[in-house]
Amino acid sequence: MQKLYFTTLVSFLLFGAKTLAQQPSKPDAVAIHQQIQKLNFLGSVLYIAAHPDDENTRLISYLSNEKKARTGYLSLTRGDGGQNLIGPELRELLGVIRTQELIEARKIDGGLQFFSRANDFGFSKNPDETLSIWNKDEVLSDVVYVIRKFRPDVIINRFDARSPGTTHGHHTSSAMLSLEAFEKTNDRSVYPSQLSLVEPWQPKRIYFNTSWWFYGSKEKFEKADKSNLTELSIGVYYPSLGKSNQEIAALSRSRHQSQGFGSTGTRGEEMEYLEFLKGDAPKDKTNLFEGIDTSWNRVNGGKPIGELLALVERNFDFKNPSASIPDLVRAYAMIMKLDDAYWKNIKSEEIKKIIAHCAGLYLEAVAKDQEITIGNKLSLKIEAINRSPIPMQLLSFSTFPESQTEQKSINLKPNISQSLTTEIPLGANLNYTQPYWLIENGTVGMYRVNDQNKIGLADIIREVKVIFNIQIGEVVIPFEREVIYKMNDDVRGEVYQPLDIVPDVTTSISNKVVLFNDGKTKTIAIKIKAGKDKVKGEVQLEMPDNWKHSPASIPFELALKGEEKTVTFEVGVPKNADEISVKCIATVDGKRFDKEQFSIGYEHIAKQQVLKTSEAKFLKLDIKTGKEKIAYIMGAGDEIPKFLSEMGYEVSIIKPEEITAEKLQNFNVVMTGIRAYNTIQALAFKQQILFDFVKAGHTMIAQYNTLDDFVTPNIAPYPMKISRDRVTEENAPVTFLAPEHAVLNIPNKITSKDFEGWKQEQGLYYPSEWDAAFTPIIAANDKGETPKKGAILIAKHGKGHYIYTGLSFFRELPEGVSGAYRLMANLISLK
């Protein structure tokens, strides 16, 4: 009998792909049975909100695990504008972290993850501002495209489109765009260029996931008219898993570590409420899918498939899942003959995973090295093992991106591992491993992605992969695996990492902001890293002609991949200079390399490589600084100490546990990092020592904290109440409330010009109430609001000064904002 070969659409695989960078899934029989149940449910729900951590994991888990629906979360942004509790990464690097946290969250709650091109530019107070910074048409296009591709029967919004100004402008905008998209996704005249890849689609209905929070209080919600609300009892307990739905949801939400959203699972009855907005209103309010055929009958030719898979589900042997393989393979062959490409692609991928899991079929392609450069040959170890009694044969495997096939015809005898080796040539057309949304320069509000196929994709696109063609009976099934790297760690054991395609050489300018404030020549250090063995070339700085550096270029030679070398240039500043952006260029065999490699590694997410232009900002700055010695207490991850060092200060990072009166005698200033009083428990026991330090004639500078729980209520020597007050318009005019105060005059005269060119926001979480001992220094406000006076509060305490500031120095100093440097110098110099 002729063998049956089947393929799948690459675009769909990209759209639904998840990273295999961490250890592959090895589900038990209970999980496999749940996968079979989901295979028999043909209904979809799309949850839409603005940011990572906006999603309701309780509802996503309920829909995915209890209802068995294909459940997706569309986050319009990647959370780039937030703060980072676990490290110093901000902006696009933070967006990479939060992207991976969402991917990991969906692995736990069973959902799928999607994004638009919208950039989280920071807090926005209303949707008008949001949509003026985002390209509304492009974001709406992305929402329409994801809906057309995912084809949800039901859409659920996290936020209310009818209440602008009551929450983050991004939040309201997500609901507004979702409602507009609901009306347009089935219209062929709307974004017609998409229709070469997707078909128009009309969701059945759309809801708003409301709760007491949107009503102002639990009491108001109890009294509210709920006649238009659907009530879902989501407090399900899964005996086979030993977990409640809420416990699963808490594990999912706890993946948002960079935002500090660790969650404790709950148990027992719990309700979620959905307000019907548009579409076909269900008569049975407990049935989101009323009027929607969620069985195989919704697909032309699907009825016999559904009957066969129902039999598989009923007869599933938890002690021997492989007994289901013959019927599953028959069902796979039937699915591949369907005319409905959408469901064929979705269900063929689902059933392939189930077949592999039932067989204990382990297929893996492991690279010899974790990093490799273009033009080399990649050595691979191939492993294939069938841990079931079902006869199987590895006919061939194909390697990509060069699409080479090796014929093998190896019988996969039960529980006998087959190991092979091969090489993949990495041609010149291969791309470096890089978040696809960061390759092109975007705008403040939008990432630039020109390939429509990539819109909505969550993860980095990894091109190096292997497809194993496995014959089971008369059917040949292709199983795709990304090439990975793995190693044994003495502590963690088997560690999986993704394969990264890297440049031949990367460079890094050690200081991203260099201040030329004394007219003297500066020594600029450049770190060079080899991406392969035997790299030889020269490195140079690319800057305007009136800036002088010597030597003109520096030769380098690195023998081994991963080897690093530091070289230095002497740079002199011209008289008539302001600020410039300087690039570092390495030339190897006539080819220019201008990338800096950032490696992001945290235990809860897959390792990530980001390549950015190797550059720094040089500033000729009119600034006076003193010789103060600063004790810096790190908060929730910022890089301010290195910028203070660049200003010429002697900075020591001290651990809160080590704070003693004796240790502080060597310093003039103590400074706490961002959110220190939200995150550093040891500070609760050191406040009196710090206040005594101030009393003795020194300065303490406390940077912003949020409204989250404080480790101590006494973060200042006098009463002060932190609020949500903030100024999000970074160039909002500033009024000087105490123009004669030393902090605005010594050693630098601070003017309104010093508040020009700030990035993302002026400041956040300002105090709204404070003791009379405090002097407010400046005031500013967003358009249409009252002035906010809590940006800088200074109190005399004993012989010294206590300063609290909500100004966003943690953003401005890394961006090289000159006025922020001048103002920081004055805060430090206050006597």
Side-chain angles (χ1 to χ4, degrees), residues 403-504:
S403 190
Q404 296 185 351
T405 298
E406 294 188 29
Q407 303 294 332
K408 291 300 177 183
S409 297
I410 298 173
N411 286 325
L412 298 179
K413 297 178 181 179
N415 211 30
I416 302 297
S417 179
Q418 299 289 338
S419 295
L420 309 166
T421 58
T422 191
E423 287 186 333
I424 299 180
L426 303 179
N429 294 327
L430 188 64
N431 297 304
Y432 297 135
T433 304
Q434 169 79 318
Y436 71 88
W437 60 95
L438 296 179
I439 294 174
E440 300 284 343
N441 291 328
T443 65
V444 172
M446 296 296 295
Y447 284 118
R448 183 178 177 184
V449 181
N450 296 321
D451 185 349
Q452 183 69 52
N453 277 296
K454 296 178 181 178
I455 301 299
L457 300 183
D459 207 357
I460 289 174
I461 298 169
R462 300 187 183 276
E463 301 174 78
V464 185
K465 57 190 177 184
V466 175
I467 293 180
F468 297 80
N469 295 305
I470 305 293
Q471 182 177 349
I472 306 175
E474 297 298 322
V475 178
V476 177
I477 305 177
F479 293 91
E480 180 180 304
R481 299 291 184 266
E482 290 178 359
V483 172
I484 52 89
Y485 170 78
K486 69 178 182 179
M487 56 174 284
N488 183 71
D489 182 270
D490 289 343
V491 175
R492 295 177 294 166
E494 188 177 50
V495 175
Y496 281 72
Q497 292 181 344
L499 171 71
D500 287 333
I501 312 302
V502 303
D504 291 1

Side-chain angles (χ1 to χ4, degrees), residues 35-225:
Q35 291 171 357
I36 294 171
Q37 291 176 318
K38 293 194 75 168
L39 187 64
N40 279 327
F41 191 93
L42 280 70
S44 303
V45 180
L46 183 62
Y47 200 89
I48 298 179
H51 310 107
D53 72 47
D54 282 346
E55 81 275 24
N56 184 338
T57 55
R58 296 183 303 276
L59 191 52
I60 290 175
S61 176
Y62 171 79
L63 293 169
S64 178
N65 297 305
E66 174 65 13
K67 294 301 182 183
K68 312 303 180 187
R70 189 166 178 263
T71 308
Y73 174 44
L74 170 57
S75 175
L76 295 193
T77 76
R78 296 177 184 268
D80 325 72
Q83 288 86 51
N84 185 359
L85 283 178
I86 60 174
E89 297 89 355
L90 294 174
R91 293 302 307 151
E92 64 271 21
L93 296 182
L94 176 58
V96 171
I97 291 173
R98 299 190 72 185
T99 292
Q100 291 302 312
E101 289 178 336
L102 272 183
I103 290 171
E104 294 301 320
R106 298 293 81 76
K107 290 179 183 178
I108 293 170
D109 60 35
L112 298 170
Q113 184 60 51
F114 310 108
F115 292 97
S116 83
R117 288 171 289 177
N119 192 335
D120 179 3
F121 55 83
F123 191 87
S124 176
K125 294 183 178 178
N126 62 74
D128 291 339
E129 179 191 42
T130 297
L131 296 174
S132 69
I133 296 175
W134 288 350
N135 183 319
K136 179 192 172 183
D137 185 67
E138 288 186 357
V139 182
L140 178 61
S141 169
D142 293 354
V143 176
V144 168
Y145 183 69
V146 171
I147 291 172
R148 284 173 171 173
K149 196 151 193 178
F150 186 66
R151 291 172 62 172
D153 299 304
V154 177
I155 293 176
I156 301 174
N157 292 338
R158 167 76 281 190
F159 299 105
D160 189 356
R162 301 159 298 189
S163 54
T166 60
T167 183
H168 198 318
H170 297 183
H171 293 167
T172 310
S173 295
S174 71
M176 294 168 62
L177 291 168
S178 175
L179 283 166
E180 188 172 349
F182 182 84
E183 300 290 346
K184 293 182 174 181
T185 54
N186 204 31
D187 186 342
R188 285 186 170 273
S189 68
V190 175
Y191 306 118
S193 62
Q194 297 179 1
L195 300 183
S196 62
L197 300 173
V198 292
E199 292 292 327
W201 177 254
Q202 182 57 59
K204 191 78 168 178
R205 52 188 65 104
I206 186 169
Y207 293 93
F208 159 45
N209 182 197
T210 190
S211 70
W212 67 263
W213 188 88
F214 293 96
Y215 287 74
S217 69
K218 292 182 179 179
E219 292 75 17
K220 290 180 180 179
F221 185 59
E222 289 296 326
K223 298 175 182 178
D225 178 11

Side-chain angles (χ1 to χ4, degrees), residues 715-736:
I715 67 173
Y718 306 106
M720 180 178 65
K721 183 179 180 181
I722 304 299
S723 73
R724 296 187 183 276
D725 286 353
R726 61 203 302 159
V727 179
T728 64
E729 296 171 16
E730 54 268 27
N731 288 318
V734 172
T735 300
F736 297 115

